Each structure stands twice: as structure tokens, then as C-alpha cells.
Amino acid sequence: MQLTVWTYEGPPHVGAMRVATAMRDVHYVLHAPQGDTYADLLFTMIERRDKRPPVTYTTFQARDLGSDTAELFKSTLIAAYERFQPAAMLVGASCTGELIQDDPAGLAKAANLACPVIPLDLPSYQRKENWGAGETFYQIVRHLSGDPVEAGTRIRAARPTCNILGPTALGFRHRDDVTEIRKLLGENGIDVNVVAPLDASAADIGLLKNADFNVVLYPEIAEPAARLLKKNFGQAYTNVVPIGVNATREFVAEVRKLADLPGESDQGDTRLPWFSRSVDSNYLTGKRVFVFGDATHAVAAARVASQEFGFEVVGLGTYSREHARSVREAAATYGLEALITDDYLDVEQAISDAEPELVLGTQMERHISKRLGIGCAVISAPVHVQDYPARYSPQMGFEGANVLWDTWVHPLVMGLEEHLLGMFREDFEFSDEAMPSHLGHGSRLAVAEPAPRVDHDPIAMPDKGEPATAKTANLWDKDAEAELKKIPFFVRGKARKNTERFAEEQGIAEITVETLYDAKAHYAR
């Protein structure tokens, strides 16, 4: 077992909580010690939900281990049913509760409750959160969707219908994605039968079989259930995830084919293609980007970055080991070897080695990029509270493409503005003392300096973009250092490293301005 400060995914019972919290009348009884109740905060603090997850913990303590913990589980299960009166219940154990081996499934069966009880066998030490969410949704569909029927026996509605599968609580922009895709399907003459698990009831799961086909938005969660529905009810499911303009157009073509709709739809209302071709966006072409996240979002983001933004993908990886194959296949198209790891230190080293100008990743990569002085946009869970905005902000569909443009380009634009501010800092017209240009000539009034702040635990922040070490600082003469600072901070580190490597190879003891430009010419060949 490896001790870590950060983790990309929680244990599988957190995935089960995401599914239970997303649904309306399902309750989850978790055999867990008191400390495992921390997971509630993920939903109330991070996602800012206005009520607790529908989860009851047995909360056994150390002194209970010498007594009958099985009886504690059974009494907790019965009390939860009597209090909440759910339409269906999930039962399972946390990673700690799993060690006791009290068999929640058998105990729940013996309780003989008046509602369906779905046992979850989630191996906490072999699997993680997304797998747990996918397995939980699969088991719910298996228990509640009804008996299998032969394909073609169902009477079709006047308009084609589909289910949207995969969105959960604590998902990255899942609710907004559902709104956008529901709108897109409606514009193409397709009605939505059920969205699950988000906002679905136990009874809604029994209605899944009434749809013509299934839309799989998040394969990590929905694909096992979609395969089961195809086997039991003959329902086909989508393979295209509609992130980006090109993928959204392919998705529309795919659902129209599944719905037997003739002709083609329009090309969609999105500004991204024009923005990426416009004159003021030309400086973005060829920017180096590193992509890391769950498999679905990482593969989609790399495609959008390469095909629609004109970026160069210099790194691609995922923490989703169960879906590593699709990431490896995507990485090969960019001439890369995929990074498959759940160790953030490996990711940090890979980003440092790739020297990108932009990172598209998770909350982890946001922290890593801040330390390395690189712009970052979040594209995948795990995320923090700021990535659950109050505004409408989907990642999927044509409006999602607009959101991607605004989100990804912002760090690069801000980097350019910061560079220009630093570049003209000494100019008499742009210095901190100069009056705003619309107020005429002159200087600002002197303002008394505030008293220096004394921190008891100061944190030293690194100089962004140019990490000079004690060994290399003496190599640079004064004029070369000044010239180096004219280079944008987000590529300054690479320029410094290349110049020092060039000087070492050429046997140059002191780096001058001439050396800096010789190195630039050398590596530009």
C-alpha cells in the first residue's frame, strides 16, 4: 500500500454514494466506522448540495469490534428503512468495514424488508471510485429494470426515444451536460425517456426498457449498464462522446442513425470554429498542451485541442486503469506513449519533462501547474468547489464547445497579458506611477505604504517560469538575465534550460545575450 497526500479517486463505496445521491428514492446503508462519514462533505461542501446524501452509516467504533457488529448492521438497516421509507435500498461496506466480513448482503436478505435490497460487492483494495459508480449503477439496472424481452417486441412511440445514461452526483458538469444533450436531442426530433441515475427514481429504472436506444455520456459509469440493456432488451447504445464541435456533429449523426431519422441535421450553433480561425487567435496555433484526466474527458480534450484549437499535444494520460486501452490508442495517434498512473508525482514529473505551455487536467494538475508556473484549465474530476459554478457551463454539445474555448484559452491570454505588463513595466507611460492615459499626463499621488505584514508561517512562492538554481545563476551575465526576462514567463523556463544546455555543450563559461540568441537559433533548426 502506498501513502499519498492526494488521490485521484476515492474508494468504490464513494462511487456508490455518487449514484445513490443522484437518485431520488434510493437509500444506501454503509457498514463503516465513524471516520468514514467524511464522504458526506464531498457532496455538501464541494458540490454544494443543500442536503446530506441518502446514506446511513453503522458507525461502529473500536469498542464494538469485540461485540456483535453484524447485529449493529441489521438494526441500522431496519431503522433506516423505517425512517426514510425508500423505494429501494443499497447495502455494502466501506474499505474498513470490508475487513470485518460481516456479509451485509446476507444480513439484508435476512431482514426481509418490504422494498428491493440491492447488495453491492465493491472490493475496496482492488478497485476505485469510478468503477464503484459503474458497478452500482449496473446492479441497480440489473435488479430493477425487469425481465428480459425479445428485441422488436416493443411498440414504438410516434417519435423516437432514448435514455441518457451515466450522469451522477459529484460529476464534472454532469447536470449541465444533460441539459445541453437533452436540448440537442429534442432539436433532432428525439425524446428523452429516462435520465439515469441523475434524478431518476427506482420506478424510472423499470421504464428504461421502453426506449429505442441509449445515449452513453460517461462510459466509465454507464457502459456496463448499457451492455446489459442491449443484452436484455436489444437496445443499441452510442459510442461517441459529444465533447467538441467535431465529436458533437458525429454524435448527432450517430443518434439520428439509431433513431432511423432521414437526412442530416444542421451543423450546430457554436462560435468555436470561427474563433479558432480568427486573426487574433493565430498566436495559439502550435501551443504545447499536456492532457490528463479520466479516460473519457482526456481523450476528448486531446482531440479538441489538436483538431479544433490547433494545439500540439505533447502528453496524454489517465488515472482510469480500466479504460487505459482507449487512452493508449489515442496517444498513439499523436506519436506519444500514454501515461497511465494514479500517482500525482508521476504526473508532475511528466509535465515538467514535456515543458507544455498549457495543462488540461484535474484539480491535481491545477496545483502542479501553479507550482511550475504553467497555465491550466480543469477538464475532469476530481475537481474543487470552484468547478461547480452557479452559471450554466456544460462541457458537451455545441454550447459546451463555446465553454471549452473560453476556459482553455483564458490561461494563455492571461499569460500573454502578464508578460506584456512585465515587459513594459519600466516604460514611462506604463509604469505603476503613471496616470491612466485618459486622464492626461502626470503622476499618481503618492500613497503611504502600509506597514509590512509579518506572517508567522511564511510560504515562499517560486519565481514563475524561470527556476534558476544556485549552480546555474552565476552562468548568466546581467544583460543576458535582463534579455531573458523579456521572454513570456510561460516559456521562459524552457528558454533558460535550452540556453544552459547549449552553453554546456559548447563549453561556454558565461552566458551572454549573444549566447542566448545562438541557443535560440540552434534549437530552431
Side-chain angles (χ1 to χ4, degrees):
M1 184 178 289
Q2 183 179 11
L3 181 65
T4 183
V5 177
W6 289 341
T7 180
Y8 285 97
E9 295 182 88
H13 73 264
V14 173
M17 288 181 65
R18 289 174 56 187
V19 173
T21 304
M23 298 184 71
R24 285 188 278 128
D25 54 6
V26 173
H27 199 83
Y28 185 22
V29 176
L30 187 63
H31 200 23
Q34 195 165 6
D36 281 354
T37 58
Y38 74 89
D40 281 12
L41 294 176
L42 297 174
F43 301 92
T44 56
M45 186 181 77
I46 303 299
E47 197 178 14
R48 292 192 271 209
R49 285 185 166 258
D50 58 358
K51 55 187 176 183
R52 284 188 60 248
V55 181
T56 297
Y57 304 87
T58 55
T59 56
F60 58 82
Q61 300 180 44
R63 64 173 178 266
D64 297 319
L65 298 179
S67 59
D68 191 354
T69 53
E71 185 58 35
L72 174 63
F73 175 83
K74 191 173 179 180
S75 62
T76 302
L77 175 68
I78 294 171
Y81 174 74
E82 291 175 349
R83 177 182 177 187
F84 297 104
Q85 294 291 305
M89 297 190 78
L90 307 173
V91 296
S94 72
C95 43
T96 311
E98 184 182 331
L99 299 174
I100 302 176
Q101 299 182 333
D102 273 337
D103 186 22
L107 294 169
K109 186 175 182 180
N112 197 26
L113 299 179
C115 74
V117 179
I118 303 169
L120 301 177
D121 183 13
L122 307 177
S124 299
Y125 297 96
Q126 289 82 39
R127 301 288 189 171
K128 294 199 173 181
E129 180 181 326
N130 279 336
W131 182 90
E135 174 66 12
T136 300
F137 186 45
Y138 169 84
Q139 292 296 340
I140 289 173
V141 172
R142 188 169 78 87
H143 283 80
L144 302 180
S145 60
D147 296 329
V149 297
E150 291 185 16
T153 59
R154 186 181 60 83
I155 299 175
R156 297 190 63 167
R159 280 166 57 102
T161 62
C162 71
N163 302 311
I164 297 178
L165 305 181
T168 68
L170 209 66
F172 182 59
R173 311 288 171 82
H174 283 197
R175 190 173 295 278
D176 290 349
D177 285 346
V178 169
T179 301
E180 182 67 16
I181 298 306
R182 186 193 287 271
K183 173 174 171 280
L184 185 63
L185 291 166
E187 290 170 351
N188 282 275
I190 301 169
D191 293 333
V192 175
N193 177 46
V194 171
V195 177
L198 187 66
D199 290 335
S201 66
D204 288 336
I205 302 301
L207 301 177
L208 288 173
K209 58 178 175 283
N210 296 335
D212 297 317
F213 64 94
N214 292 308
V215 170
V216 174
L217 292 188
Y218 311 101
E220 287 92 342
I221 297 166
E223 195 168 351
R227 287 199 298 264
L228 179 67
L229 291 168
K230 183 176 182 180
K231 177 184 175 182
N232 288 351
F233 307 112
Q235 294 172 326
Y237 60 89
T238 59
N239 293 295
V240 178
V241 177
I243 296 178
V245 175
N246 294 339
T248 300
R249 288 171 179 166
E250 291 173 12
F251 171 80
V252 170
E254 183 180 29
V255 296
R256 290 182 69 85
K257 183 177 180 181
L258 290 174
D260 293 328
L261 292 174
E264 297 182 358
S265 67
D266 60 39
Q267 294 298 296
D269 183 18
T270 176
R271 299 181 182 88
L272 190 152
W274 164 243
F275 275 34
S276 63
R277 295 195 307 270
S278 61
V279 175
D280 62 345
S281 300
N282 284 344
Y283 75 92
L284 298 172
T285 304
K287 293 296 183 186
R288 296 165 59 84
V289 61
F290 188 100
V291 185
F292 192 87
D294 68 49
T296 296
H297 287 91
V299 170
R303 179 185 177 185
V304 173
S306 175
Q307 296 181 4
E308 301 178 28
F309 282 63
F311 293 164
E312 178 189 358
V313 179
V314 296
L316 175 59
T318 183
Y319 55 81
S320 306
R321 295 187 182 276
E322 292 86 1
H323 292 260
R325 177 180 294 180
S326 62
V327 180
R328 289 193 176 99
E329 291 172 352
T333 65
Y334 307 110
L336 301 171
E337 182 178 349
L339 176 64
I340 312 298
T341 182
D342 57 2
D343 188 336
Y344 71 93
L345 294 175
D346 292 342
V347 180
E348 181 168 7
Q349 186 60 54
I351 292 173
S352 179
D353 292 343
E355 298 179 340
E357 295 156 272
L358 177 67
V359 174
L360 303 176
T362 71
Q363 176 70 11
M364 309 284 204
E365 284 66 53
R366 174 186 278 152
H367 291 298
I368 290 169
S369 300
K370 187 174 182 180
R371 282 205 302 276
L372 297 177
I374 304 170
C376 179
V378 172
I379 61 159
S380 163
V383 297
H384 201 42
V385 63
Q386 65 264 45
D387 292 305
Y388 292 99
R391 69 184 185 281
Y392 180 60
S393 187
Q395 299 291 286
M396 295 185 177
F398 293 118
E399 182 59 29
N402 293 334
V403 173
L404 295 184
W405 173 268
D406 292 339
T407 307
W408 296 7
V409 170
H410 177 77
L412 291 172
V413 173
M414 291 304 294
L416 182 65
E417 289 180 355
E418 186 171 332
H419 164 61
L420 292 174
L421 287 172
M423 189 173 179
F424 291 102
R425 181 68 67 192
E426 305 304 322
D427 191 289
F428 75 94
E429 288 186 298
F430 299 101
S431 68
D432 290 336
E433 290 76 26
M435 289 281 286
S437 57
H438 66 283
L439 297 179
H441 299 291
S443 299
R444 295 180 186 271
L445 294 175
V447 178
E449 297 233 354
R453 176 180 170 180
V454 178
D455 291 324
H456 296 291
D457 186 19
I459 300 175
M461 295 297 292
D463 184 13
K464 288 199 288 184
E466 45 172 333
T469 63
K471 179 180 177 182
T472 61
N474 294 330
L475 290 175
W476 294 73
D477 73 10
K478 193 175 183 181
D479 292 337
E481 281 281 7
E483 193 71 14
L484 181 68
K485 288 183 179 178
K486 295 179 182 179
I487 298 173
F489 75 87
F490 43 85
V491 290
R492 197 179 302 154
K494 183 179 179 182
R496 177 185 285 278
K497 190 180 294 186
N498 284 348
T499 305
E500 289 169 356
R501 187 187 309 145
F502 175 79
E504 184 178 357
E505 291 172 355
Q506 302 297 319
I508 298 173
E510 185 180 44
I511 295 174
T512 63
V513 173
E514 185 178 357
T515 311
L516 177 63
Y517 283 99
D518 286 345
K520 178 183 177 183
H522 174 77
Y523 288 108
R525 291 170 189 165

